[in-house]
Amino acid sequence: MAEPSAKRSVRRGVAVLLLPVSGATTLPAFVEAALPGVSSVVGVILFVAAVAYLVGSVSRQVAAAADTPL
């Protein structure tokens, strides 16, 4: 596996793992925040960031594959 490909795989793996973790942070049983609502805001931010990264990463890979001749 090439170096950029390995880095991309690790970043995608982290993003995929952030999806369920971001949902878990919105549950009070998992995260007790000192300030009310902080855990839900952090969960939303993690979820949006992970989804945005995955969509962008897949889009760039599809665009690169479209430029490759058969």
Side-chain angles (χ1 to χ4, degrees):
M1 189 181 294
E3 185 67 27
S5 180
K7 286 182 180 179
R8 182 175 56 240
S9 295
V10 168
R11 287 191 302 255
R12 283 185 184 171
V14 169
V16 168
L17 289 176
L18 277 179
L19 292 176
V21 170
S22 64
T25 59
T26 60
L27 299 174
F30 288 103
V31 176
E32 296 263 345
L35 299 171
V38 170
S39 62
S40 60
V41 169
V42 169
V44 169
I45 290 171
L46 286 175
F47 182 80
V48 169
V51 169
Y53 176 77
L54 288 172
V55 168
S57 177
V58 170
S59 299
R60 284 188 302 271
Q61 190 173 8
V62 168
D67 291 341
T68 304
L70 294 176

